[in-house]
Amino acid sequence: MDTKAQPKPPAASVENGRKVLQRDPNPHIFRPITFRSVTARNRIMVSPMCQYSATDGVANDWHFQNLASRAVGGAGIVFVEMTNVEARGRITAGCMGLWNDTQRDALARIARFVKAQGAVAGIQLAHAGRKASVTRPWEGGKGLAPEQGGWPIIAPSAVPFGEGHPLPQEMDAPTIADIVGKFAGSTRRAREAGFDIIELHGAHGYLISSFLSPITNRRTDRYGGSFENRVRFLLEVVDAVRSEWPEGRPLFLRISSTDWIEGGWDLEASVKLAQLLKAGGKVDLIDCSSGGVDPRQKVNAFPGYQVPFAAAIRSRAGIATGAVGMISAPEMAERIIADGQADLVVMARAFLNDPYWPLHAAKALKVKFPWPSQYERGDIF
């Protein structure tokens, strides 16, 4: 028997063996997630972010570099900005469209590159409704008169968004049917362009949102009044999109979880809608934003201020949710997913600030996440 004294292990290894709390080597935001047949490499989604830089609704090199850099930067899902189903539905003359094949082909180039970098390519389909025909934000965002290049706009009710905004024409039944059909047409082109996910923009006071909210929907027909009537247009759009969208591809919906105005759409209505959509089986995730319906809104914004909406809808409706709103710290994003408050973190301004946010977040959370081979030399800081 060897009676020689064994060397003591280094103090550091003893301390490591005594640790009770250890950092998770597989952070939740970097775990893959699957919706239908589409799997994203992580839970980080680049939110649709309007660039107001298209010509005749056609994507150009600006849009390519904007979205390509976020895919190279490691995001799991990269969404093209709010893309309108008709020219009348653009917020500004510089907004994107998908009502013709020229627009489809320009977007196909973007979808191909995004997917080649390992990200999922998504596109948000929309119609601005009564918030259309205005100048770009950096030009003041004011309503455009016809002599300034403005165009006629439509809404569920003839109520302008605010002072200085054009008066919309109330949509009649044929106009409603026409717009529903245009969502289907844009969906077909999105499919042909190679996108993996569609998100419907049902938030922020745009057309779908303005049907949902009692603040903006003052109709007395089958599209107004009761909750069931006010959600009818959205449900018709969902059905039209699904008629052109493969069963294996996911459909997301962005909503304003509350209007932030008394008497408006609220969280209870959002939960009820989410439960209805969950039962219908056609929508896979609710992207939980808020506000934008009326300029009188009172919002107390702070980092994570909208996360409770995603948590409540996820818990009470049993449907996947995306959390959005001033999320920028990797630790906050990780906590949101780890605590079960949402299934995705959806970020916009953080990605405007840093296209490579996921690569830097991986370092902060001490997880190995591969950099693009061409950029490996930069992974030294």
Side-chain angles (χ1 to χ4, degrees), residues 215-248:
I215 297 289
T216 48
N217 184 343
R218 303 180 186 179
R219 303 175 71 96
T220 57
D221 64 359
R222 62 197 297 266
Y223 290 96
S226 68
F227 170 88
E228 290 73 19
N229 283 354
R230 285 183 285 109
V231 303
R232 191 184 306 278
F233 177 72
L234 166 61
L235 298 182
E236 290 180 356
V237 170
V238 167
D239 286 345
V241 168
R242 271 289 166 207
S243 74
E244 291 285 355
W245 196 234
E247 177 65 26

Side-chain angles (χ1 to χ4, degrees), residues 30-42:
F30 284 99
R31 296 178 187 180
I33 187 168
T34 298
F35 299 97
R36 298 187 186 243
S37 66
V38 175
T39 298
R41 59 187 169 188
N42 57 48

Side-chain angles (χ1 to χ4, degrees), residues 260 290 297-306 325-326 349:
W260 298 109
S290 68
Q297 66 185 16
K298 303 295 183 184
V299 184
N300 180 24
F302 53 86
Y305 74 105
Q306 295 177 132
M326 299 179 69
R349 288 171 176 81

Side-chain angles (χ1 to χ4, degrees), residues 8-30:
K8 292 183 178 180
S13 64
V14 171
E15 177 63 23
N16 286 341
R18 294 177 57 245
K19 283 183 178 178
V20 176
L21 299 177
Q22 298 188 36
R23 185 182 289 271
D24 189 338
N26 184 24
H28 293 73
I29 63 167
F30 284 99

Side-chain angles (χ1 to χ4, degrees), residues 103-171:
Q103 296 161 344
R104 175 199 64 192
D105 295 344
L107 286 165
R109 175 190 178 218
I110 294 173
R112 283 195 300 271
F113 187 86
V114 166
K115 293 164 75 169
Q117 306 315 303
V120 171
I123 186 166
Q124 185 186 70
L125 298 183
H127 191 295
R130 73 175 191 155
K131 295 179 77 172
S133 191
V134 300
T135 60
R136 293 173 175 87
W138 54 83
E139 298 167 342
K142 302 297 185 182
L144 285 168
E147 60 271 19
Q148 298 172 309
W151 55 91
I153 64 173
I154 58 174
S157 301
V159 182
F161 176 66
E163 185 178 350
H165 285 259
L167 178 69
Q169 179 182 2
E170 182 170 309
M171 298 166 68

Side-chain angles (χ1 to χ4, degrees), residues 324-377:
V324 61
M326 299 179 69
I327 300 167
S328 62
E331 294 79 8
M332 173 185 282
E334 170 64 8
R335 185 173 68 250
I336 289 167
I337 303 302
D339 286 351
Q341 297 178 85
D343 299 271
L344 297 176
V345 285
V346 183
M347 294 183 291
R349 288 171 176 81
F351 271 105
L352 291 177
N353 177 269
D354 181 5
Y356 310 107
W357 188 93
L359 300 181
H360 301 142
K363 280 193 170 296
L365 297 175
K366 303 190 184 309
V367 60
K368 292 187 180 298
F369 187 73
W371 283 48
S373 299
Q374 299 92 329
Y375 284 8
E376 283 179 347
R377 287 172 294 171

